[in-house]
Amino acid sequence: MPKSPRPKKKRDTGQYKSLAERAYHQIEEMIVTLQLEPGTVLSEQQLAEELSVGRSPVREAIQRLGYENLVVVLPRRGILVSDINLRSHRKLLLVRREVERLMVRLACNAATDEQIAGFRKFAEDFKCHAKDHDVRGFVRTDAAFNELLAESVDNEFTRNAVQLTRGLSRRFWFKFYRVADLQKCASLHAVLAKAIAERNADGAGRALDRLIDYMEEFTRTVLDMH
């Protein structure tokens, strides 16, 4: 099997609870940022060596990525990074709008004080990414923000539903971000994070709608180009 590209920069791994979680986040970021491009054949052994973990954590990570439609397992062909489906992305945004609208409302009510502090920090981080036009920083912060949002609602059904859209959405954005407005996108995320930090459920709902409106506009632009 072809070797997987070596990650350009690994994330801080101290925050993860297990080796499988660490492997998942590292491989997921490699896929989202196209270090592992669609159609790439993945080798569990090669990934294990590059991430300095055993094959079992990598296998668990691959299973999770398969559930999220970022990889596919094909008989006699192995594990492949999934293709980017332009047409289905608009359907994905419909799901995101409805599920995340519920999630931000729940987060405003259920988040702990520690989680609220996390949302406040993310609001500032998103502002910095907007100012600095930091694409990779934005992608990483967005992933961490999404995880905090899922944790704060304490509802496994919403978490499972939205998890199916997260990586695909971020990869789509990273693939075509050159025709996007990074400053606007990061700023909209900052407004959303700030509203949650203020426990402003109505404001968070409006901020979420504005963010998804922008993502739909961005998606239409990409589709028109193709």
Side-chain angles (χ1 to χ4, degrees):
M1 289 186 179
K3 291 186 177 181
S4 306
R6 185 174 298 277
K8 295 179 182 178
K9 181 179 181 181
K10 297 180 182 178
R11 298 169 66 175
D12 177 15
T13 58
Q15 61 185 303
Y16 302 126
K17 297 178 182 178
S18 69
L19 290 176
E21 184 182 4
R22 167 188 152 188
Y24 162 78
H25 283 283
Q26 290 180 308
I27 300 169
E28 196 260 7
E29 181 175 303
M30 292 161 68
I31 293 173
V32 166
T33 59
L34 303 177
Q35 295 175 51
L36 293 172
E37 296 183 351
T40 299
V41 179
L42 301 183
S43 161
E44 287 183 0
Q45 182 62 41
Q46 179 66 23
L47 287 170
E49 292 174 1
E50 296 207 4
L51 301 180
S52 299
V53 297
R55 291 187 64 172
S56 292
V58 170
R59 188 172 297 117
E60 287 185 45
I62 292 295
Q63 290 175 348
R64 183 173 171 183
L65 292 164
Y67 172 73
E68 296 172 9
N69 297 310
L70 287 170
V71 303
V72 292
V73 180
L74 299 176
R76 294 182 298 278
R77 293 186 62 190
I79 306 162
L80 304 180
V81 177
S82 66
D83 291 332
I84 297 175
N85 189 318
L86 300 182
R87 297 294 170 183
S88 67
H89 194 72
R90 297 181 75 174
K91 298 177 184 178
L92 180 152
L93 290 174
L94 289 175
V95 175
R96 278 193 60 185
R97 185 188 294 274
E98 298 305 321
V99 175
E100 293 187 31
R101 184 182 286 141
L102 172 61
M103 291 183 74
V104 298
R105 186 169 71 248
L106 292 173
C108 288
N109 294 320
T112 65
D113 289 343
E114 181 180 0
Q115 289 167 340
I116 287 296
F119 285 118
R120 190 173 298 113
K121 180 180 184 302
F122 282 135
E124 294 304 314
D125 290 344
F126 281 128
K127 289 179 184 177
C128 290
H129 298 324
K131 180 180 177 181
D132 298 339
H133 296 279
D134 182 359
V135 176
R136 289 185 180 272
F138 168 74
V139 170
R140 289 187 176 128
T141 298
D142 186 39
F145 169 77
N146 292 338
E147 288 194 14
L148 180 60
L149 180 60
E151 291 171 2
S152 66
V153 301
D154 192 27
N155 185 313
E156 65 272 24
F157 299 104
T158 56
R159 280 201 303 269
N160 291 341
V162 80
Q163 193 62 39
L164 295 174
T165 71
R166 295 297 198 185
L168 293 174
S169 291
R170 287 166 45 246
R171 182 173 65 160
F172 183 93
W173 190 89
F174 192 88
K175 172 71 174 177
F176 300 107
Y177 76 86
R178 290 174 181 80
V179 300
D181 185 339
L182 172 60
Q183 185 173 22
K184 181 176 182 179
C185 188
S187 296
L188 288 171
H189 277 79
V191 172
L192 175 58
K194 183 174 183 291
I196 298 173
E198 294 173 348
R199 298 190 187 275
N200 181 354
D202 290 340
R206 290 191 295 271
L208 187 278
D209 277 335
R210 287 194 294 272
L211 174 58
I212 299 298
D213 286 345
Y214 166 74
M215 293 306 296
E216 289 181 342
E217 176 185 337
F218 165 59
T219 299
R220 285 194 296 271
T221 299
V222 172
L223 289 174
D224 288 345
M225 292 172 56
H226 293 79

